[in-house]
Amino acid sequence: MRIVIAGGHGQIALRLERLLAARGDEVVGLIRRDGQEGDLRAAGAEAALCDLESASVDEVAGHLEGADAAVFAAGAGPGSGADRKNTVDRDAAVLFADAAERAGVRRYVVVSSMGADPAHKGDEVFDAYLRAKGEADASVRGRKSLDWTILRPGMLTDDAGTGLVRLEASTGRGPIPRDDVAAVLAELVDSSATAGLTLELVSGSTPVSVAVKSVAGN
């Protein structure tokens, strides 16, 4: 498979790139800055310079041409203000979905956030983040030309992955290592059987591959 990942230098994306490359997939990570290419090469991925805050739909679609799947794993990141939650976590996600449609890429997987909700209340930056994620998810859900799956992890940690998760429509809050998020994403991009599902993810007792197969088609 050829898989294009938005936010290719992110912590989850780099882990995902390593997993996909190790199994023989062709992986392209979109990056914002020169100088990040080396980390992607070390992960086994090709780097493509593309700033999703300024790129056109056609430009992004050009990077997606010939891809079998697209993964949106970009984020404004900690320390960013509410404005960038909107321009990255919302607008860039919508742009990437527009570009996937234009390029004819059906399989589309989104890394969202537990609690994402366009109607979320509050004036803090994290409140803006949850609204932005919720608005992006709502935009993706309305697209019949995409076989989309939205993944909403719980509290991300840098603990070593266990390969054991809980993946359901609603899990309740809990932690999840980034390693395990990447492992679930690698399973999700491989099959469209989870298309149309919004799934929450926390640590649990079910092996990743079994967890994904268990929700497929529900």
Side-chain angles (χ1 to χ4, degrees), residues 5 7-10 13-14 17-18 21 27-31 35-48:
I5 303 172
H9 194 256
L14 287 168
E17 288 155 5
R18 284 192 287 271
V27 190
V28 179
L30 303 187
I31 58 173
Q36 296 176 333
E37 297 91 342
D39 291 333
L40 271 72
R41 282 195 298 269
E46 172 190 341

Side-chain angles (χ1 to χ4, degrees), residues 102-190:
R102 187 160 299 185
V105 181
R106 289 202 62 92
R107 188 69 181 121
Y108 189 85
V109 179
V110 178
V111 183
S112 183
S113 174
M114 194 172 289
D117 181 353
H120 181 82
K121 305 296 184 185
D123 300 322
E124 300 298 323
V125 171
F126 189 67
D127 298 318
Y129 168 75
L130 292 178
R131 281 194 295 274
K133 281 293 195 184
E135 289 165 2
D137 292 354
S139 174
V140 169
R141 285 197 192 104
R143 299 169 188 257
K144 298 187 183 302
S145 60
L146 296 179
D147 294 330
W148 56 265
T149 301
I150 295 170
L151 184 66
R152 292 179 167 177
M155 184 183 70
L156 299 171
T157 76
D158 288 325
D159 296 338
T162 66
L164 300 173
V165 300
R166 183 180 177 194
L167 179 70
E168 298 172 13
S170 179
T171 61
R173 296 191 177 276
I176 181 74
R178 289 179 173 86
D179 287 349
D180 289 333
V181 177
V184 169
L185 290 169
E187 292 282 338
L188 291 176
V189 297
D190 206 25

Side-chain angles (χ1 to χ4, degrees), residues 45-59:
E46 172 190 341
L49 192 62
C50 180
D51 185 347
L52 293 174
E53 289 181 273
S54 60
S56 67
V57 173
D58 285 340
E59 181 183 347

